[in-house]
Amino acid sequence: MATREIPFRDRRIETAPRAVIEWMQLDGLRRQIDNALKTEYYRPKLLAAGITSSDDIKTLDDIRRVPFTTKGDLREAYPFGLLAVPKSDVVRVHASSGTTGTPTVIYLTQRDLDLASDTMARSLTAAGGNKNDIIQNMMTYGLFTGGLGFHYGAELMGAMVIPTSSGNTLRQLKFMKDFGTTMVHATPSYLLHLHAAIEAEGYRRDDLKLRMAITGAEPHSEELRRKIEEKLGIEVYNCYGMSEMNGPGVAFECVFRAGMHAWEDRYIVEILDPETFEPVPEGEIGELVLTILCRDAMPLLRYRTRDLTRFIPGPCACGRTHRRLARFTGRTDDMLIINGVNVFPSQIEEVLLKTKGVGANYFIIAEKSGDLDKLTVQVEITPEMFADDARVINALRDRLKSEMSALITINPVMEIKQPGSLPVSEGKAKRVDDRRPKD
Ligand code: AMP
Ligand code: ZN
């Protein structure tokens, strides 16, 4: 590795002294505060916290006076409560993967979009990507940022981008072979699935030019990374991001693959104790809280990601001064990530509760089916429904299936159970069993 040239998109910023990064952060925070004061949603909250203009923010430590923002706030502010520019300046809208009744939506101006693409291009360059790469993006295109957010950054870097989107593995393989794809972007589980298909279809290693994969959207271990690398004979890079923060590339591994550099000129990164909201001691695990500095259309101040991670202490061999985040170890809420799609048990409950014939109890099982995730929803039906014939019960199952897929964008297996057969929902009933191995 030492002999390998270390690639940069913007060496000056990526290796800036900490004092310079912190100066950029303070300047950015002050701009975001003025911006937030223009929005319907933040204005009363900031005034209540005694912040009337950016003049109230004198040092980076003053961020501790700024109230937190949650996913719930985004939903409450839907559709335009967090907009800080005239609607006519917005050129793009994105939303979180999976949906609930009210999606969490972000807006970008052309400048915001250019900066988001630049952040992504910087990330890909740090990982060793370049304009000669042929990149197949296997993440879903649409509102989810893993598609378009990644795409624009890869194009900006100058690579040839093939927007195959997710699924249709045989077609993915054909494109990989015919175009000589050198890099793919996919979830870790899909990469394993892809490998199984490569073997099943009889492709030889020489048929493919693949050299690296960018992976993210769901937690995965170092062991799983190594397994994918060995199976596919490539290098795998971890990429963290979320739609609320413009998508993938908030933090990214450099060629040393020893933690993800969080781009601190574009985000203020805090790791806090989720109970006390005090910063955890350096190197300890806490909740990641992010403030975006590179977006005019929609400020998000101290956004509680619910994702758990820690800072990796010490400098990185690449020379970058932006701090590194360790692999994510989980979340502080009950959100499940099924094949890269966020699913909240409460969304499933919402569908069940409003459907006639569904009883009081349900149970959700997440498990592996081959290399992919499988979600099963077991649901009791009412005694009246149970007395009906099989056709009525099948119709109920079909209806639940289609309503689930409309609301959570994935298709769970629906199992209809007889009344009284599932754990009772009193007190702290355990309604979710995540049986997937933690590796
Ligand atoms: P979305 O807004 O749909 O892009 O989902 C963002 C969420 O996906 C994050 O809050 C994380 O929980 C998860 N996520 C994204 N990238 C990673 C990663 N590299 N490792 C672990 N979890 C990730
Ligand atoms: Zn590095």
Side-chain angles (χ1 to χ4, degrees), residues 71 95-98 104 144-146 188 215-220 237-245 247-248 251 260 303 305-308 326-331 333 335 337 340-342:
K71 229 184 207 341
S96 198
S97 69
T104 50
F144 175 50
T145 44
T215 195
E218 61 192 23
H220 57 290
Y237 288 80
N238 195 5
C239 157
Y240 173 79
M242 58 187 349
S243 58
E244 294 91 321
M245 292 292 141
M260 297 177 276
Y303 185 67
T305 66
R306 307 276 176 178
D307 290 318
L308 293 168
R327 256 171 214 292
F328 285 81
T329 50
R331 293 184 49 91
D333 63 7
M335 185 180 95
I337 304 184
V341 176
N342 303 345

Side-chain angles (χ1 to χ4, degrees), residues 334 345 349 360-364 422-433:
D334 58 356
E349 186 177 88
N361 297 314
Y362 66 92
F363 200 68
I364 298 167
L422 292 176
V424 183
S425 64
E426 275 168 26
K428 281 193 177 184
K430 188 169 178 273
R431 295 189 168 284
V432 180
D433 188 7

Side-chain angles (χ1 to χ4, degrees), residues 179-252:
F179 286 101
T181 299
T182 57
M183 188 197 299
V184 293
H185 179 216
T187 61
S189 33
Y190 193 71
L191 288 175
L192 284 174
H193 183 68
L194 195 67
H195 172 258
I198 288 173
E199 302 232 298
E201 294 302 307
Y203 282 89
R204 285 168 300 134
R205 186 63 187 89
D206 291 356
D207 292 334
L208 305 174
K209 301 273 178 295
L210 195 65
R211 70 181 186 95
M212 61 192 277
I214 308 298
T215 195
E218 61 192 23
H220 57 290
S221 64
E222 193 58 42
E223 289 68 35
L224 184 62
R225 183 228 297 262
R226 243 175 279 145
K227 185 168 156 191
I228 298 170
E229 289 189 332
E230 268 165 34
K231 279 179 183 276
L232 286 168
I234 59 172
E235 288 186 344
V236 174
Y237 288 80
N238 195 5
C239 157
Y240 173 79
M242 58 187 349
S243 58
E244 294 91 321
M245 292 292 141
N246 286 356
V250 172
F252 217 91

Side-chain angles (χ1 to χ4, degrees), residues 254-256 261 316-320 324:
C254 68
V255 292
F256 290 93
H261 290 283
C316 181
C318 73
R320 286 181 180 82
R324 287 168 296 159

Side-chain angles (χ1 to χ4, degrees), residues 337-363:
I337 304 184
I338 306 293
N339 295 319
V341 176
N342 303 345
V343 178
F344 288 93
S346 55
Q347 298 173 268
I348 293 177
E349 186 177 88
E350 199 180 310
V351 174
L352 299 179
L353 290 184
K354 67 172 195 213
T355 308
K356 203 166 163 278
V358 168
N361 297 314
Y362 66 92
F363 200 68

